[in-house]
């Protein structure tokens, strides 16, 4: 009887390890997951402009931009504008919280307070997220290091 209980405990422990490893592989370790399905538009016609004020940034020879669509000013995307290397990935985050009647930088805590979604990731440029009254930021993984610009409400 003791032997059967020991085997059961061992089997349950092994099952718990397998389930934990599967969950980590499926869901990762971040609180939001990058997915193309979280993008709002695949292709947005029009011209995009770089957002400065810390929303775009330079790291290790790469220029990463948060870009806003000019004509209707309703969409944002992220792009590694120059210096891209093999293995680099870029995505755009967008807050679920709306900031009506505000334009400019929001803190990480303010932007993430009601949650956020990640659109991406791609090797060069992302699809677009709807940004009207929402905070958006450009993020990239470059040589194993993840960097993000500041949250920008447009």
């Amino acid at each position: 009887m003791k032997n059967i209980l020991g085997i059961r405990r061992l089997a349950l422990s092994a099952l718990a390890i397998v389930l934990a490893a599967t969950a980590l592989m499926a869901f990762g370790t971040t609180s939001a997951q990058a997915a193309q399905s979280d993008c709002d538009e695949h292709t947005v016609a029009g011209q995009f402009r770089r957002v400065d004020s810390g929303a775009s940034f330079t790291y290790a020879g790469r220029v990463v931009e948060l870009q806003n669509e000019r004509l209707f000013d309703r969409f944002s995307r992220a792009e590694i504008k120059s210096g891209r290397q093999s293995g680099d990935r870029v995505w755009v985050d967008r807050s679920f919280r709306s900031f009506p009647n505000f334009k400019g930088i929001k803190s990480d805590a303010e932007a993430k307070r009601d949650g956020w979604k990640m659109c991406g990731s791609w090797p060069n440029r992302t699809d677009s997220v709807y940004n009207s009254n929402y905070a958006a930021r450009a993020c990239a993984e470059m040589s194993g290091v993840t960097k993000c610009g500041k949250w920008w409400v447009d």
Side-chain angles (χ1 to χ4, degrees):
M1 186 68 167
K2 257 184 166 179
N3 206 12
I4 291 174
L5 289 176
I7 292 171
R8 279 188 182 166
R9 269 189 235 141
L10 182 61
L12 286 175
S13 295
L15 180 60
I17 291 170
V18 168
L19 289 175
T22 302
L24 279 176
M25 288 188 307
F27 300 111
T29 58
T30 61
S31 58
Q33 293 300 306
Q36 188 169 357
S37 61
D38 285 328
C39 303
D40 297 316
E41 289 290 330
H42 175 61
T43 57
V44 175
Q47 295 182 346
F48 283 76
R49 68 182 178 337
R50 174 189 170 109
V51 178
D52 286 313
S53 301
S56 299
F57 61 95
T58 301
Y59 175 77
R62 286 97 152 173
V63 175
V64 180
E65 291 184 353
L66 177 67
Q67 301 172 342
N68 286 342
E69 179 263 330
R70 286 183 182 184
L71 185 59
F72 297 109
D73 203 22
R74 296 182 347 177
F75 292 96
S76 291
R77 69 183 184 196
E79 180 176 0
I80 300 176
K81 194 68 174 175
S82 64
R84 193 183 82 71
Q85 297 178 13
S86 178
D88 288 354
R89 307 290 294 171
V90 65
W91 63 93
V92 62
D93 291 341
R94 202 216 68 198
S95 68
F96 288 142
R97 185 170 186 210
S98 177
F99 300 95
N101 305 314
F102 179 85
K103 183 174 183 167
I105 297 295
K106 282 289 181 183
S107 72
D108 196 56
E110 285 179 294
K112 290 179 175 179
R113 189 167 99 191
D114 296 336
W116 78 101
K117 65 181 182 175
M118 300 170 73
C119 166
S121 70
W122 284 270
N124 189 35
R125 182 173 59 212
T126 69
D127 284 348
S128 299
V129 293
Y130 183 75
N131 74 349
S132 186
N133 296 327
Y134 295 93
R137 70 177 179 179
C139 295
E141 183 179 4
M142 302 157 288
S143 301
V145 176
T146 298
K147 295 285 184 184
C148 294
K150 293 181 180 179
W151 289 94
W152 176 261
V153 179
D154 194 41

